[in-house]
Amino acid sequence: MDLNNIQRVYFIGIGGIGMSAIARFFNEKGVHVSGYDRTETPLTRQLAEEGMQIHYSDDVNLLDKDAQLVVYTPAIPGTHGELIWYRKNEYEVVKRSDVLQEITKELFAITVGGTHGKTTISTLTAHILRHSGYGCNAFLGGISANYDRNFWSSDKQVAVIEADEYDRSFLKLHPDIAVLTAMDADHLDIYGTEADMQDAFVQYTANIKPNGTLIAKLGLSRAGELKGDNKRWYHLKDSKANIYATNIRTVDGGYLFDVVEQDWHIHDVKLPIGGTHNIENAVAAITVAHLLGIDAAKIKAAIADFKGIKRRFEYLVKNDYQVYIDDYAHHPEELRALISSARGLFPDKRCTVIFQPHLYTRTRDLAAGFAESLSLADEVLLLPIYPARELPIEGVRSEILAEKITVPVQVIQKEDVLAWVKSNSAPLLITAGAGDIDQFRDPIKEILNGEKVNE
């Protein structure tokens, strides 16, 4: 696969967050880009406005028969008609991870992997490199609020890539700098056991190029097995790490802190977004930037200007009376960090969480952890499980979480969410999940701001 000689590329699942970044990569190179997705979304509308041709029905009469390369997401079932047609007719059909593999071969690659924090760290790292003038090509798993993009290009032969562990995709990447944030159990439908998943993360570090660097969170299990000719350990505040934060203060829903390394430090770093876990994410991004030789003053200025990522501890309403936060959290540890951080920032406000579980297998496998994390709230509303790529599993419903949660909880249907918000007081409201719960963001914001809602 020679990316430099491709003139036409077709995407099956073009509206996915990772797929759309690669589509934008080709589009900005002047390649003809077209594709299929199941439903129209704000992101697919953006792609169409940028010149890509997109349709929303699985129809071989609509696909590009002149495509030189076909890229598909592993979330697309093998029974998809267009995918079958391309394979039957012997087109070059690859996963998006295969394209990223080629990119990491050509560019100086900074990859961010781990079960939590990778979107924030990769986006913040790419933002620091862009804001400071260093430059990079960014392939992100979220929409940067600064640029309203999940991809941007640069003449600098450097790429920042979010390394997705689903379907073992990240094992195709060969980074010069690899960040590893966490190895908690997830995607057990793919890996089978937590041990097998950890094996994959160890292999991820084994793919670091010679003389490359691993930047890993201090305290990871199996840390002694992690590879990389050079290793740097980061942490929120543990002084045993090579780099960590200290003197942490809360300021207007964000934080002020110092970053300390043995021979280097930055005073009064201002992070405008909430979540103590995001301080640790910032420490990881700062470690990358420092390794690249970016000046401390430029790092500080970039972080102070960071507006966050859509659906990552995103403030949609924040005033003296009401705070509304929306977040992509879909794993127990992500929920724990989200809820505990929100409560720490707003300790006097009653906390209500509306959570949509994502995937039947994840809900089944991690039910106890979900219940424990959600019980950190004062009140929980559970939506039915969002199936994504899965078929229902008998006996696996949101009610299995409700039975284990120790605070007031109820399971409600999606059509009842806005009515609940209108008729109940929720001084600190959080919506969380990786499914389609994001459809309620704007209507809830309008209700809380006293605006007219189009239901």
Side-chain angles (χ1 to χ4, degrees):
M1 178 175 28
D2 184 357
L3 301 184
N4 296 315
N5 292 319
I6 292 172
Q7 300 300 316
R8 299 179 76 92
V9 59
Y10 187 83
F11 287 83
I12 303 177
I14 194 169
I17 194 70
M19 291 281 282
S20 58
I22 299 173
R24 282 171 157 160
F25 165 76
F26 281 109
N27 194 55
E28 290 197 10
K29 289 165 68 74
V31 175
H32 180 276
V33 178
S34 58
Y36 155 88
D37 210 283
R38 184 172 58 181
T39 56
E40 185 180 37
T41 66
L43 181 52
T44 61
R45 286 194 289 272
Q46 276 189 338
L47 300 180
E49 289 168 3
E50 291 165 23
M52 303 179 214
Q53 297 176 5
I54 303 173
H55 62 270
Y56 302 97
S57 58
D58 180 5
D59 186 346
V60 296
N61 295 310
L62 298 176
L63 53 74
D64 181 6
K65 295 183 179 179
D66 295 320
Q68 297 165 278
L69 180 68
V70 178
V71 185
Y72 74 99
T73 169
I76 290 288
T79 56
H80 191 272
E82 294 184 5
L83 182 60
I84 291 172
W85 189 90
Y86 276 120
R87 284 175 167 164
K88 181 179 178 181
N89 288 278
E90 299 182 344
Y91 284 72
E92 184 171 13
V93 179
V94 302
K95 293 182 181 180
R96 64 184 176 89
S97 55
D98 295 309
V99 180
L100 289 173
Q101 180 180 24
E102 293 303 309
I103 291 169
T104 61
K105 287 179 181 177
E106 294 183 3
L107 303 179
F108 184 92
I110 303 160
T111 65
V112 183
T115 43
H116 321 299
K118 56 184 176 287
T119 300
T120 300
I121 294 172
S122 56
T123 304
L124 181 51
T125 300
H127 168 71
I128 294 171
L129 270 54
R130 177 171 173 167
H131 190 280
S132 67
Y134 184 92
C136 71
N137 297 270
F139 298 82
L140 308 174
I143 303 297
S144 164
N146 285 79
Y147 313 108
D148 197 29
R149 303 272 290 178
N150 59 339
F151 168 80
W152 55 82
S153 60
S154 168
D155 292 334
K156 190 85 168 187
Q157 295 299 294
V158 173
V160 178
I161 299 171
E162 180 170 333
D164 185 6
E165 71 274 6
Y166 173 69
D167 198 38
R168 304 179 190 268
S169 295
F170 68 152
L171 297 183
K172 294 180 179 178
L173 306 179
H174 295 273
D176 295 271
I177 299 174
V179 179
L180 180 55
T181 68
M183 302 194 302
D184 294 321
D186 198 5
H187 301 301
L188 298 184
D189 56 321
I190 299 294
Y191 291 95
T193 68
E194 183 174 6
D196 286 342
M197 186 174 188
Q198 291 174 350
D199 288 342
F201 280 113
V202 172
Q203 181 59 47
Y204 162 69
T205 66
N207 289 347
I208 297 171
K209 294 173 187 173
N211 299 315
T213 302
L214 170 66
I215 298 171
K217 181 176 175 177
L218 182 70
L220 292 179
S221 61
R222 300 175 64 176
E225 300 176 50
L226 302 179
K227 312 300 182 182
D229 290 344
N230 305 287
K231 296 187 180 75
R232 306 294 290 168
W233 305 97
Y234 74 94
H235 198 271
L236 173 61
K237 54 185 178 181
D238 191 331
S239 60
K240 294 191 290 293
N242 297 113
I243 186 166
Y244 59 95
T246 187
N247 195 23
I248 298 169
R249 293 142 283 167
T250 59
V251 180
D252 191 29
Y255 303 96
L256 203 63
F257 56 94
D258 303 336
V259 176
V260 177
E261 194 199 37
Q262 183 176 356
D263 301 315
W264 179 81
H265 60 267
I266 310 180
H267 290 295
D268 294 334
V269 177
K270 183 179 180 181
L271 180 67
I273 62 173
T276 52
H277 54 291
N278 284 323
I279 301 174
E280 187 169 73
N281 291 336
V283 171
I286 289 169
T287 306
V288 175
H290 177 55
L291 195 64
L292 296 175
I294 297 175
D295 180 75
K298 291 183 177 180
I299 294 173
K300 277 183 64 173
I303 293 175
D305 188 53
F306 186 58
K307 296 178 173 61
I309 304 138
K310 292 184 178 180
R311 304 218 63 226
R312 301 304 195 280
F313 212 100
E314 184 181 3
Y315 289 114
L316 294 177
V317 176
K318 187 173 71 166
N319 55 51
D320 291 342
Y321 313 102
Q322 183 91 48
V323 175
Y324 170 34
I325 299 167
D326 181 49
D327 197 280
Y328 190 71
H330 57 286
H331 184 280
E333 289 306 312
E334 294 166 353
L335 284 169
R336 183 189 306 278
L338 168 66
I339 299 168
S340 59
S341 293
R343 301 209 67 156
L345 286 166
F346 307 101
D348 298 328
K349 296 188 183 299
R350 177 177 172 80
C351 177
T352 301
V353 175
I354 304 175
F355 176 60
Q356 181 186 45
H358 184 263
L359 298 177
Y360 294 101
T361 52
R362 181 183 285 127
T363 305
R364 177 197 63 198
D365 296 339
L366 307 178
F370 277 121
E372 183 179 342
S373 295
L374 289 166
S375 295
L376 295 173
D378 292 305
E379 179 181 24
V380 177
L381 280 71
L382 295 172
L383 297 181
I385 297 170
Y386 185 80
R389 56 187 177 269
E390 293 184 339
L391 295 173
I393 298 174
E394 186 176 354
V396 179
R397 300 183 301 154
S398 294
E399 281 78 2
I400 69 172
L401 302 185
E403 292 168 0
K404 299 177 185 296
I405 292 171
T406 59
V407 297
V409 58
Q410 58 178 305
V411 178
I412 67 170
Q413 300 303 308
K414 287 193 288 188
E415 55 266 28
D416 298 325
V417 168
L418 298 183
W420 188 94
V421 174
K422 286 179 180 178
S423 58
N424 289 271
S425 173
L428 173 55
L429 178 64
I430 299 172
T431 49
D436 60 1
I437 191 171
D438 60 336
Q439 68 183 280
F440 297 113
R441 289 161 40 95
D442 290 341
I444 290 176
K445 178 181 177 180
E446 290 167 1
I447 291 170
L448 299 181
N449 285 332
E451 303 169 14
K452 185 177 180 180
V453 182
N454 295 318
E455 298 183 35

